[in-house]
Amino acid sequence: MAKQFIRYERKGNNEYASVCLPKRIKGKKVNQMTYLGRVLDKENSLFSNRKQGTFKYTLEGGFEPVSASYHISKIPVSEAELLDFGDSHFLFSFLQKTPYYGILENMAPGVSDTFFSLLAYHILSPGPLEYVQPWWYGNFVKHLFPKAELDTEGISALLEYLGSTEIQNRFFTAYFGKLSQEKDIHGILVDVPSQNQKSDCNTFFSSSSDLFPSRLLYVAERSSGLPLYFSYGLDSVSDLVQPMAKTISILHKYGIATDFTIPDNRQLPETLLSLLHKEAIAYITDLVPGSSLFREIVDSYSSKTYGPENIVTYGMKQYFIKKIPYLFGDGIPVYAYLTLANNQTMPTGYKQKEKINHTCEGTSVFVSSADLPIDQVLPLFCTKNKANKDFGMLTGFPVGNSLQAIKGQFLVLFIASMITSLLDKEFSSQGLDIGRIFHELRNQKCTVSNGYAIPGKTLNTIDYRYRSLLVDQPFLISP
């Protein structure tokens, strides 16, 4: 039987600890985590957290109380903290300037500190939920939202609340109200099967596959990638098309046109595409490599694809894409797009026109109901990659957690993706990646003592990030 151990992690000037118990769930190794809190005295096994106060913990003896005399003699009255500062200050300064901040402030009355802390974690340091508490203790977010409850119970309660149909409908009604101020919004609906949500990185929240919705229907704005909406679908092909049609109808009511759907290629293509064609739903999808139709198209047209008229540049690579009119299944007219990677990197100094989201290595075959210019095929289809990435962080739920809590986590991830897309839009013209920007900003620390935060000096690059979005750089933050 595996033995438990104590895992230590340093954040700023402080060290934090958790107890790990290795287990195997469905053949995969996972760690069941119990958060201990800040390390006060490692030699004497003394820890502190908000829920339990100060205590002693050893693997042999478990939790033990600490005498009051120790508090007086060992713990300073006011300790100076060194915290990550720049990333969280920049994020919330930016967020308050957007038209969506008022919506988020009213999302979770009474537990808004937990909501904003969890949201910031998914944007600034995305990872398994077992690390959210140590991250929170080492970031200035803990002073922005001091009432956050980020233990298992606190997170579960928040996600249960956010997963309710009433709360999600209320959010999207308000969100669509803001979006309606924009003109000519065009969306792409992506079918994301539940297995794409699951991660090999199981954590102290261990996922239960029986609880996942069969599939997620995710809609993003066609040109910017801004998330617009999500809903849920069932696993069978016949039960998938109707939720797609319903989602498209909901968006249409708010003035959002859904140009394309991207169904999952694991479904039987004859059945799925026939139903989409019957419902007049435009689509683009990729064929499963090795399938009979895939082999037929590759064998018949590969030699005819290598020509200068078929060259497309996407990201930093070139592809040969040949458009092939085709009768599919029972005579359904479609267009197949045979895509062959050129395997040649563009020369140094080449300025990419689009941020690369997905690369098709080797050979791919896309099938669409639309007659598309060949240079639109990859940017259109690769919206799917963003959906998989955004919801790939759905990992870490207590065993036995409810479907409603999982839907609540979908909403948190959706909002995190929406905020990241807004930031990407601001910096994309400069060819900058928002992840890199937050990494730079994290280098600005602050010292917190007696309720005052004193931000540290910044590098020129950090000064530029603040100025680029007209975010004030404070010199002193008072309680």
Side-chain angles (χ1 to χ4, degrees):
M1 181 178 178
K3 295 183 178 180
Q4 61 181 358
F5 61 93
I6 298 178
R7 177 181 177 274
Y8 295 93
E9 181 179 14
R10 180 162 290 280
K11 287 282 187 178
N13 286 339
N14 296 318
E15 192 171 21
Y16 299 89
S18 299
V19 181
C20 301
L21 177 61
K23 290 185 175 181
R24 283 195 174 273
I25 298 179
K26 296 184 179 180
K28 293 183 179 181
K29 184 179 178 181
V30 301
N31 284 326
Q32 180 177 318
M33 308 285 289
T34 301
Y35 182 68
L36 296 177
R38 185 158 59 93
V39 180
L40 300 179
D41 189 333
K42 184 184 285 189
E43 183 179 349
N44 291 297
S45 303
L46 292 161
F47 307 91
S48 176
N49 62 46
R50 290 188 302 161
K51 189 172 184 178
Q52 296 168 279
T54 302
F55 57 89
K56 181 175 182 178
Y57 180 87
T58 61
L59 295 175
E60 298 79 16
F63 290 92
E64 300 177 30
V66 177
S67 64
S69 60
Y70 184 88
H71 289 251
I72 296 172
S73 61
K74 292 288 185 179
I75 303 176
V77 174
S78 177
E79 293 183 341
E81 295 180 294
L82 183 64
L83 302 173
D84 294 342
F85 172 79
D87 56 352
S88 54
H89 171 69
F90 185 89
L91 171 63
F92 285 99
S93 296
F94 166 79
L95 191 55
Q96 289 170 9
K97 296 175 181 291
T98 71
Y100 308 107
Y101 188 70
I103 299 175
L104 302 182
E105 279 189 308
N106 297 316
M107 280 287 295
V111 288
S112 59
D113 280 20
T114 303
F115 168 67
F116 277 116
S117 296
L118 190 59
L119 186 62
Y121 174 71
H122 281 302
I123 297 171
L124 301 177
S125 185
L129 290 179
E130 65 176 297
Y131 302 125
V132 64
Q133 271 191 323
W135 169 83
W136 185 85
Y137 274 106
N139 194 286
F140 188 65
V141 166
K142 68 180 286 188
H143 292 285
L144 293 175
F145 307 106
K147 297 180 181 179
E149 296 288 345
L150 296 172
D151 55 7
T152 306
E153 293 80 8
I155 293 175
S156 295
L158 171 68
L159 298 181
E160 285 277 352
Y161 175 79
L162 295 177
S164 73
T165 302
E166 178 186 356
I167 295 301
Q168 298 206 351
N169 287 344
R170 191 169 70 190
F171 166 76
F172 280 114
T173 299
Y175 184 48
F176 288 148
K178 298 296 183 181
L179 289 174
S180 65
Q181 299 172 14
E182 305 282 340
K183 292 184 178 180
D184 298 325
I185 300 177
H186 292 261
I188 300 174
L189 189 155
V190 183
D191 167 30
V192 185
S194 62
Q195 71 174 31
N196 287 341
Q197 264 62 262
K198 294 163 64 178
S199 169
D200 291 334
C201 185
N202 290 287
T203 65
F204 105 121
F205 285 124
S206 298
S207 300
S208 173
S209 60
D210 295 337
L211 294 174
F212 278 95
S214 298
R215 48 202 335 112
L216 180 76
L217 302 180
Y218 170 92
V219 185
E221 207 276 325
R222 180 171 179 175
S223 60
S224 67
L226 177 71
L228 300 175
Y229 186 66
F230 72 87
S231 59
Y232 313 99
L234 301 177
D235 199 45
S236 67
V237 175
S238 59
D239 289 332
L240 171 62
V241 176
Q242 290 306 315
M244 280 185 171
K246 181 179 179 182
T247 298
I248 292 170
S249 176
I250 291 172
L251 293 170
H252 179 73
K253 184 173 69 173
Y254 289 95
I256 299 172
T258 304
D259 292 347
F260 283 91
T261 61
I262 306 179
D264 175 50
N265 65 4
R266 296 180 309 159
Q267 301 291 358
L268 295 174
E270 291 85 355
T271 306
L272 177 60
L273 299 192
S274 177
L275 288 168
L276 290 172
H277 183 75
K278 181 179 178 181
E279 294 290 334
I281 298 175
Y283 58 84
I284 182 171
T285 189
D286 56 334
L287 298 181
V288 176
S291 65
S292 58
L293 182 55
F294 180 95
R295 292 195 303 269
E296 178 183 334
I297 291 175
V298 171
D299 292 344
S300 301
Y301 294 97
S302 287
S303 61
K304 304 173 185 177
T305 301
Y306 293 102
E309 72 279 5
N310 294 327
I311 292 179
V312 169
T313 300
Y314 183 62
M316 296 294 287
K317 291 189 176 183
Q318 284 187 337
Y319 302 87
F320 294 98
I321 301 180
K322 184 172 181 60
K323 183 192 310 181
I324 307 159
Y326 198 88
L327 289 179
F328 189 77
D330 296 329
I332 301 172
V334 299
Y335 292 88
Y337 298 87
L338 174 58
T339 304
L340 306 174
N342 195 352
N343 295 322
Q344 293 182 6
T345 303
M346 296 303 293
T348 303
Y350 172 80
K351 186 176 180 180
Q352 69 181 64
K353 296 181 180 178
E354 298 185 56
K355 181 181 176 182
I356 188 164
N357 289 321
H358 175 75
T359 55
C360 301
E361 301 295 342
T363 302
S364 300
V365 179
F366 303 100
V367 174
S368 177
S369 58
D371 182 0
L372 297 167
I374 59 175
D375 61 350
Q376 292 186 17
V377 173
L378 288 176
L380 180 61
F381 178 79
C382 293
T383 307
K384 181 176 182 178
N385 191 62
K386 175 174 173 58
N388 286 335
K389 178 183 176 182
D390 290 346
F391 291 89
M393 289 311 301
L394 186 60
T395 178
F397 286 90
V399 174
N401 209 328
S402 70
L403 175 59
Q404 183 164 310
I406 294 173
K407 290 182 176 181
Q409 178 69 336
F410 275 129
L411 182 58
V412 173
L413 293 172
F414 177 91
I415 296 171
S417 177
M418 178 263 286
I419 295 169
T420 302
S421 294
L422 294 173
L423 284 161
D424 277 334
K425 182 179 180 180
E426 294 288 342
F427 287 102
S428 60
S429 61
Q430 305 173 44
L432 297 174
D433 176 71
I434 189 60
R436 176 182 173 183
I437 290 172
F438 279 134
H439 183 76
E440 292 174 352
L441 290 167
R442 197 172 301 127
N443 289 327
Q444 184 188 18
K445 311 297 181 182
C446 74
T447 302
V448 179
S449 181
N450 294 319
Y452 288 87
I454 305 173
K457 293 182 178 180
T458 60
L459 301 175
N460 289 336
T461 53
I462 296 177
D463 291 336
Y464 175 73
R465 303 302 177 227
Y466 280 119
R467 291 196 302 271
S468 63
L469 285 183
L470 303 178
V471 172
D472 294 328
Q473 184 178 171
F475 295 98
L476 179 68
I477 298 176
S478 61

